Amino acid sequence: MLRGPRALAPGAGPPSKGLPAMSPTELWPPGLSSPQLCPATATYYTSLYPQTVPPTAAPGTCLDATPHGPEGQAVRCVPAGRLPAKRKLDLEGIGRPAIPEFRTPKGKCIRVDGLASPRTPKSPGEKTRYDTSLGLLTKKFIYLLSESKDGVLDLNWAAEVLDVQKRRIYDITNVLEGIQLIRKKAKNNIQWVGREMFEDPTRPGKQQQLGQELKELMSTEQTLDQLIQRCSLNFKHLTEDKANKRLAYVTYQDIRAVGNFKEQTVIAVKAPPQTRLEVPDRREENLQIYLKSTQGPIEVYLCPEEVQEPDSPAKKPLPPTSTLGPSPDATQPSSSTDPGMTEPMASPGPALTPQQVPQPPAPPPLPLVPLEATDSMLELPHPLLQQTEDQFLSPSLPCSSPLISFSPPLDQDDYLWGLDGGEGISDLFDSYDLGDLLIN
Amino acid sequence: MLRGPRALAPGAGPPSKGLPAMSPTELWPPGLSSPQLCPATATYYTSLYPQTVPPTAAPGTCLDATPHGPEGQAVRCVPAGRLPAKRKLDLEGIGRPAIPEFRTPKGKCIRVDGLASPRTPKSPGEKTRYDTSLGLLTKKFIYLLSESKDGVLDLNWAAEVLDVQKRRIYDITNVLEGIQLIRKKAKNNIQWVGREMFEDPTRPGKQQQLGQELKELMSTEQTLDQLIQRCSLNFKHLTEDKANKRLAYVTYQDIRAVGNFKEQTVIAVKAPPQTRLEVPDRREENLQIYLKSTQGPIEVYLCPEEVQEPDSPAKKPLPPTSTLGPSPDATQPSSSTDPGMTEPMASPGPALTPQQVPQPPAPPPLPLVPLEATDSMLELPHPLLQQTEDQFLSPSLPCSSPLISFSPPLDQDDYLWGLDGGEGISDLFDSYDLGDLLIN
DNA sequence: ATTCGTTTCGCGCAGCGA
DNA sequence: TCGCTGCGCGAAACGAAT
């Protein structure tokens, strides 16, 4: 393809591609012309981001077919044609209005000193070498890039607006690609990938913004952690209060009243500190749980759903537990339910906490199993009370508050405890099929 | 200057400039050669920052005279001369060891799919267009730049190491200058001015680092705040405990034992809630303080330094306070000390807190004034005990715990209080010159 | 695979400016 | 003279049509 002919018809060709009729040179804010007050060094360029945003043509108006026609075809789309390189005595100003103040304002430049004189003024309107330099062109190019919101730039359009050969654009894009500030998006299209254009670095870029966001989220998380901790502290103080201790228990209704336990199978476990819970393999079809206590007996209670069905034996599932002497180191004996079917339970809370399991939708109303309390220690009456008002107080043996007591928080070593898998607990309940509870 | 001759003697020229004898191509980590697995898009380049840091020639070894000799002069310094562009059947490997894996590994590239094929393999060792592309060259250039600590780079040296015409270097520098990532430092010297080189953006830059630091400091501050809050909460619980209440008092010795009160004049004030303290003008030579209570009487105690001097009357400054009926709204009557000289006191704490004033070094041992208790309310015995063991309990009138009781924290409205300037308190103590206490 | 129109761009001449 | 650099030729690369 021949580029020469363009020189013969500078700007004479019809702006067939719907290009803006304005002179491309008018696009550039003053800063992008020849330097006005060079600081007398080899650094020519100073301002990159002018405040004034000149009226720019809508980008993308020339995105369609490339304007380069084959050899003898119609004149190239290039408006205000560039003068060919070697032209020296080309008819200046023909086909392009000479706008010296935008082209080479060096003439009107107030010289600070002799050194700063940028290039030879020569004939005003003459393009100095600087005016067509790659550096300046790069600035213009970047400026163009900064104008488009999505950072996408059509190279043909750019070449036309910048009034340069496409070749020069390639020079720029290649380098910018090299430092990965730009990416080839498509043919004739590149896209800016530097963070947030060349905004002044004091303002946070996108990444920095994300970092900020992350930071705030972490802060929020920490605050929440603090709140949790404070709550637990408050809780500790609450439960440690002797006055509260005698009232610190829950009834069966209390447990069933908890919204989260709706439609859930709840099993309450009361065990001494250092009891350990173990779930060997939660992927087996038979969930097994082992509770092991070395400090005393473990009590396990099933809290069946509030049943209306007369056939359900769950109505009075909590017979007063008999009191047994503590049997440390004894694996918790338990009643047996559907063999091999046990409840997953974790007991993060104090001595006794209810545990829930998603209710399987499969069997209609599952035959709720009357809870069978196992060995209990001391004289604990009514581990789970059915009545609403229950303010009797047990003889207050040390460590055994009435019923399900809120034991002191975990941050005291004495009270730290866990549940551990023993053996017998897997058959705590009979005929209670929990087989598919694991599905959820 | 003629560049042609180089083609005739690729690399044959003596490395006269003390250049490293190694092939320049060995400088580049694998990532900078032909792409291995292109993602099948127009984006050719992927890795910019290779992990492997190849042994690089000491920069600056060729900083002196430009190796370009005039026309017929000595062969150009360029080592391992670049093969001329058009050469197709050039004697490959002569003057430069063919290291295909560094040059154009595309031959051994494991193709993921047909699309990803980077350029035409052709004869291995053949330089594809990509291998000499401006983009790749830019990467190498940036890499060179990143190697030098101060960001200064000698263009001639770069051209040699990069094994390209100087002209190409200019292409790069011009563009980089245009986006002001680089600055012309001197002839043949440019300098990097982008922040912190192109380290991968995941690692924090200097600014980001500072932000990080700030963040951590803020986090620390918050943590400390939390600790403070927790402490005050603990304190609240501590003081609210009824069991503690009867023991919550301080003795004279306690106060004097506080390290901070060493060498200080301490005045304790016990006043009901809503008592207000006012210091009219702390710049006058006579410090005046007004205490005003509308809820009940105010008690003020001077706690003189533990005196060894027999002349000091401070030994028994705390006569048991007499109990008076509450006189609400009564301005606190007080004994008078050196007229016009009063103590600055703020009482942020609960009902009664000691207050300190820096001891002026001027008068030798200031004549400590025996404290004269003013009206006190209720039957408060020994507001400040001298004895160590004091566990008696006053009749426990509501609101008046024994002696200097730690009242509940401030976050209960009932206990919020302040001291206010009344009138008479300015003459609480006689003959106690506190005039220059303000100096410190 | 081959052709062909296009796009991309290596390359180095020649002119500028000091 | 000598860095520096605008400039554009022409070939490689590409992709769609053949």
Side-chain angles (χ1 to χ4, degrees):
Chain A
M1 171 180 165
L2 209 59
R3 261 94 170 218
R6 281 191 296 121
L8 300 179
S16 50
K17 290 301 171 186
L19 275 178
M22 70 193 306
S23 166
T25 52
E26 292 185 75
L27 281 177
W28 310 120
L32 289 184
S33 290
S34 288
Q36 319 244 37
L37 303 176
C38 290
T41 72
T43 305
Y44 306 138
Y45 319 134
T46 48
S47 68
L48 181 54
Y49 298 102
Q51 275 59 33
T52 70
V53 178
T56 178
T61 49
C62 205
L63 287 182
D64 49 327
T66 158
H68 307 270
E71 196 59 34
Q73 209 173 315
V75 193
R76 195 169 178 264
C77 170
V78 178
R82 279 187 78 260
L83 303 171
K86 311 295 169 56
R87 59 104 181 76
K88 271 293 193 188
L89 24 136
D90 203 9
L91 19 155
E92 181 68 39
I94 295 210
R96 166 206 278 175
I99 308 176
E101 64 274 22
F102 275 109
R103 191 108 33 81
T104 315
K106 57 190 174 302
K108 5 182 73 178
C109 174
I110 302 153
R111 296 281 158 65
V112 179
D113 56 72
L115 279 172
S117 167
R119 318 301 169 275
T120 54
K122 284 187 177 172
S123 58
E126 171 76 21
K127 261 192 175 177
T128 63
R129 210 174 158 93
Y130 168 77
D131 288 311
T132 58
S133 69
L134 233 196
L136 180 58
L137 184 62
T138 299
K139 281 179 182 168
K140 293 176 180 175
F141 185 83
I142 292 292
Y143 178 72
L144 268 197
L145 215 39
S146 71
E147 289 283 273
S148 82
K149 188 62 204 79
D150 51 355
V152 180
L153 185 60
D154 177 78
L155 296 186
N156 285 325
W157 180 75
E160 287 161 9
V161 174
L162 296 180
D163 188 26
V164 291
Q165 290 177 254
K166 189 92 174 292
R167 180 66 195 78
R168 300 282 76 76
I169 302 294
Y170 288 134
D171 282 336
I172 297 175
T173 58
N174 285 335
V175 173
L176 293 186
E177 245 173 77
I179 53 177
Q180 297 178 318
L181 284 179
I182 259 181
R183 181 192 308 140
K184 247 192 198 67
K185 194 167 158 290
K187 180 183 283 191
N188 277 323
N189 262 262
I190 55 91
Q191 181 169 28
W192 178 265
V193 288
R195 51 197 92 288
E196 289 314 313
M197 204 36 110
F198 271 42
E199 63 191 2
D200 67 343
T202 57
R203 259 191 327 210
K206 169 169 272 172
Q207 174 187 351
Q208 219 161 338
Q209 190 177 334
L210 289 177
Q212 176 70 18
E213 194 176 326
L214 176 64
K215 165 186 168 183
E216 282 163 4
L217 288 177
M218 293 178 73
S219 172
T220 299
E221 184 191 13
Q222 181 176 335
T223 302
L224 291 178
D225 284 344
Q226 305 281 1
L227 285 176
I228 290 174
Q229 192 163 4
R230 202 171 313 155
C231 280
S232 88
L233 184 64
N234 283 345
F235 184 69
K236 166 180 174 174
H237 287 300
L238 179 70
T239 55
E240 274 181 343
D241 190 337
K242 296 246 190 267
N244 288 338
K245 226 155 205 167
R246 47 178 288 273
L247 299 175
Y249 58 85
V250 292
T251 67
Y252 167 78
Q253 277 84 2
D254 290 336
I255 292 179
R256 291 277 31 145
V258 175
N260 282 23
F261 293 167
K262 204 70 186 168
E263 304 271 308
Q264 308 278 324
T265 299
V266 180
I267 296 179
V269 176
K270 179 173 184 178
Q274 297 180 356
T275 301
R276 295 199 297 156
L277 166 68
E278 190 178 324
V279 182
D281 183 9
R282 47 185 69 220
R283 273 310 96 195
E284 293 185 10
E285 84 269 32
N286 290 345
L287 175 66
Q288 301 214 332
I289 291 182
Y290 300 106
L291 282 168
K292 187 165 203 169
S293 164
T294 60
Q295 303 297 320
I298 298 174
E299 298 171 53
V300 179
Y301 311 91
L302 177 63
C303 308
E305 191 93 47
E306 205 89 59
V307 274
Q308 286 80 350
E309 301 91 312
D311 61 316
S312 171
K315 207 42 175 297
K316 47 192 179 345
L318 306 173
T321 336
S322 63
T323 303
L324 281 88
S327 61
D329 269 301
T331 295
Q332 178 56 38
S334 59
S335 61
S336 68
T337 183
D338 194 345
M341 298 281 69
T342 49
E343 276 305 275
M345 44 176 88
S347 203
L352 181 50
T353 39
Q355 196 54 34
Q356 77 211 68
V357 181
Q359 186 86 348
L366 278 181
L368 296 178
V369 187
L371 171 145
E372 173 184 329
T374 64
D375 332 56
S376 63
M377 60 185 290
L378 315 173
E379 55 281 274
L380 294 186
H382 305 73
L384 289 171
L385 298 180
Q386 288 262 39
Q387 67 280 16
T388 308
E389 301 289 337
D390 23 32
Q391 51 250 47
F392 72 98
L393 187 54
S394 76
S396 258
L397 277 169
C399 258
S400 78
S401 54
L403 311 182
I404 308 174
S405 85
F406 288 91
S407 80
L410 295 177
D411 52 352
Q412 291 185 226
D413 288 342
D414 290 347
Y415 295 114
L416 277 176
W417 70 295
L419 294 176
D420 178 80
E423 292 82 313
I425 199 170
S426 60
D427 359 36
L428 225 185
F429 311 99
D430 344 64
S431 66
Y432 194 90
D433 188 0
L434 301 170
D436 40 5
L437 287 185
L438 287 181
I439 294 175
N440 310 38
Chain B
M1 169 179 171
L2 209 61
R3 260 87 170 224
R6 283 190 297 118
L8 301 179
S16 50
K17 290 301 174 187
L19 273 179
M22 70 192 309
S23 166
T25 53
E26 293 184 75
L27 283 177
W28 310 121
L32 289 185
S33 289
S34 287
Q36 319 244 37
L37 304 176
C38 290
T41 74
T43 304
Y44 306 138
Y45 319 134
T46 48
S47 67
L48 179 56
Y49 299 104
Q51 275 61 31
T52 69
V53 177
T56 178
T61 50
C62 207
L63 286 181
D64 47 328
T66 157
H68 307 270
E71 195 58 37
Q73 210 174 315
V75 194
R76 193 170 180 265
C77 168
V78 178
R82 277 187 76 261
L83 303 170
K86 310 296 169 55
R87 64 99 181 77
K88 274 290 193 189
L89 25 134
D90 203 10
L91 18 156
E92 183 66 41
I94 293 210
R96 165 205 278 175
I99 308 176
E101 64 271 24
F102 276 109
R103 191 109 31 83
T104 316
K106 57 190 175 309
K108 12 182 68 179
C109 173
I110 301 154
R111 296 281 156 65
V112 179
D113 57 77
L115 281 172
S117 168
R119 319 300 168 276
T120 55
K122 287 187 176 174
S123 60
E126 171 76 23
K127 261 190 175 177
T128 62
R129 202 148 185 232
Y130 168 77
D131 288 315
T132 58
S133 69
L134 234 195
L136 181 58
L137 185 62
T138 299
K139 282 178 181 168
K140 292 175 180 176
F141 184 83
I142 292 294
Y143 179 71
L144 269 196
L145 214 39
S146 71
E147 290 283 273
S148 82
K149 189 63 203 78
D150 51 356
V152 179
L153 183 60
D154 177 78
L155 297 186
N156 284 324
W157 180 76
E160 287 161 8
V161 174
L162 296 180
D163 189 24
V164 291
Q165 291 176 249
K166 188 90 174 292
R167 179 66 194 81
R168 299 283 74 78
I169 302 293
Y170 289 135
D171 283 337
I172 297 176
T173 57
N174 285 335
V175 173
L176 293 185
E177 248 172 78
I179 53 176
Q180 297 178 318
L181 284 178
I182 260 182
R183 179 192 309 139
K184 248 191 198 65
K185 194 166 159 286
K187 178 183 282 189
N188 275 323
N189 262 260
I190 55 90
Q191 183 170 26
W192 179 263
V193 287
R195 54 193 83 289
E196 291 310 317
M197 201 36 110
F198 268 43
E199 59 190 5
D200 67 345
T202 56
R203 260 190 327 208
K206 170 168 273 174
Q207 174 185 352
Q208 218 163 341
Q209 192 175 333
L210 289 178
Q212 176 71 19
E213 196 175 325
L214 176 64
K215 164 187 168 183
E216 282 164 4
L217 288 177
M218 293 177 72
S219 171
T220 299
E221 183 190 12
Q222 181 177 337
T223 302
L224 291 178
D225 283 344
Q226 305 280 2
L227 286 176
I228 291 175
Q229 192 163 4
R230 202 171 313 155
C231 280
S232 87
L233 184 64
N234 283 345
F235 183 69
K236 166 178 175 175
H237 287 299
L238 181 70
T239 55
E240 274 181 342
D241 189 337
K242 294 247 189 264
N244 287 339
K245 227 156 204 168
R246 47 181 288 272
L247 301 175
Y249 58 85
V250 293
T251 67
Y252 165 77
Q253 278 85 4
D254 290 336
I255 292 179
R256 291 276 31 147
V258 175
N260 283 23
F261 293 167
K262 205 69 186 169
E263 305 269 309
Q264 308 279 324
T265 299
V266 180
I267 294 179
V269 175
K270 180 174 185 177
Q274 297 179 355
T275 301
R276 295 201 296 157
L277 166 67
E278 189 178 323
V279 182
D281 183 11
R282 46 184 71 218
R283 271 312 96 196
E284 294 184 11
E285 81 269 33
N286 291 343
L287 175 65
Q288 300 213 334
I289 291 181
Y290 300 105
L291 282 169
K292 187 164 201 169
S293 165
T294 59
Q295 303 298 320
I298 299 175
E299 299 171 52
V300 179
Y301 310 92
L302 176 63
C303 307
E305 191 93 47
E306 206 88 59
V307 274
Q308 286 80 352
E309 300 93 311
D311 61 316
S312 171
K315 208 44 176 295
K316 36 165 195 2
L318 307 173
T321 336
S322 64
T323 302
L324 280 89
S327 61
D329 268 302
T331 295
Q332 177 57 38
S334 58
S335 60
S336 68
T337 182
D338 194 343
M341 298 279 69
T342 48
E343 277 304 275
M345 45 177 89
S347 205
L352 182 50
T353 38
Q355 196 53 35
Q356 78 211 66
V357 182
Q359 185 85 348
L366 278 181
L368 295 180
V369 186
L371 170 145
E372 174 184 330
T374 65
D375 332 56
S376 64
M377 60 184 290
L378 313 174
E379 55 282 276
L380 295 184
H382 304 74
L384 288 170
L385 298 180
Q386 290 260 37
Q387 67 280 16
T388 308
E389 301 290 335
D390 22 36
Q391 51 251 49
F392 73 99
L393 186 54
S394 77
S396 259
L397 277 168
C399 257
S400 78
S401 52
L403 311 185
I404 307 174
S405 86
F406 288 91
S407 79
L410 295 176
D411 50 354
Q412 291 186 227
D413 288 342
D414 290 346
Y415 296 113
L416 277 176
W417 71 295
L419 294 175
D420 178 78
E423 293 81 309
I425 199 169
S426 61
D427 0 38
L428 226 184
F429 310 100
D430 346 63
S431 67
Y432 195 90
D433 188 1
L434 300 170
D436 38 10
L437 288 184
L438 287 181
I439 295 175
N440 309 42

